[in-house]
Amino acid sequence: AQKARLVTLADRLVEQRTAMMAGDPHAALRGLVAGNSFDRAGAEALLMAKTDQLRAGGPAVIAAFGDFYDGLTPEQQAQVRAFAER
C-alpha cells in the first residue's frame, strides 16, 4: 500500500512539473525582451498562468503527499522528517 501511495505521489509531482514547464520557457523569456522595453504585461500574464497552474495542481500534490506520509510507520515518518532537516 505504501508503494502505491508513493507511486501516486510521484505521478502527481510529475504532472505538476509537466504543467509548469509546458510550452517553451526560453521562447516566453525571449518574447518578454524582444522589444525595446521589457514586456511587463506579458511577464505578469506568464506569472499569473504559472500561479494558476500551481493552484490547480497543488491540492492533488498535497493530498498525495498526505496520504503517503500518513501511511508510513512512525519510524518511517521520523526518517522523512530527518531527510527534510538536511
Side-chain angles (χ1 to χ4, degrees):
Q2 286 180 348
K3 184 176 181 179
R5 287 189 291 267
L6 180 59
V7 168
T8 299
L9 173 58
D11 289 346
R12 294 304 83 78
L13 289 170
V14 167
E15 289 168 2
Q16 185 73 334
R17 183 178 190 286
T18 300
M20 291 300 297
M21 298 304 293
D24 184 352
H26 297 290
L29 180 59
R30 284 192 305 270
L32 297 175
V33 297
N36 292 333
S37 62
F38 182 70
D39 181 2
R40 288 175 170 84
E44 183 72 24
L46 182 61
L47 172 66
M48 296 310 292
K50 296 302 179 182
T51 302
D52 289 345
Q53 289 169 342
L54 280 173
R55 282 192 186 111
V61 172
I62 291 168
F65 189 88
D67 291 345
F68 171 70
Y69 184 81
D70 292 349
L72 297 176
T73 66
E75 294 80 17
Q76 291 169 321
Q77 288 178 349
Q79 288 176 330
V80 171
R81 287 190 297 273
F83 179 78
E85 288 183 24
R86 287 188 236 147

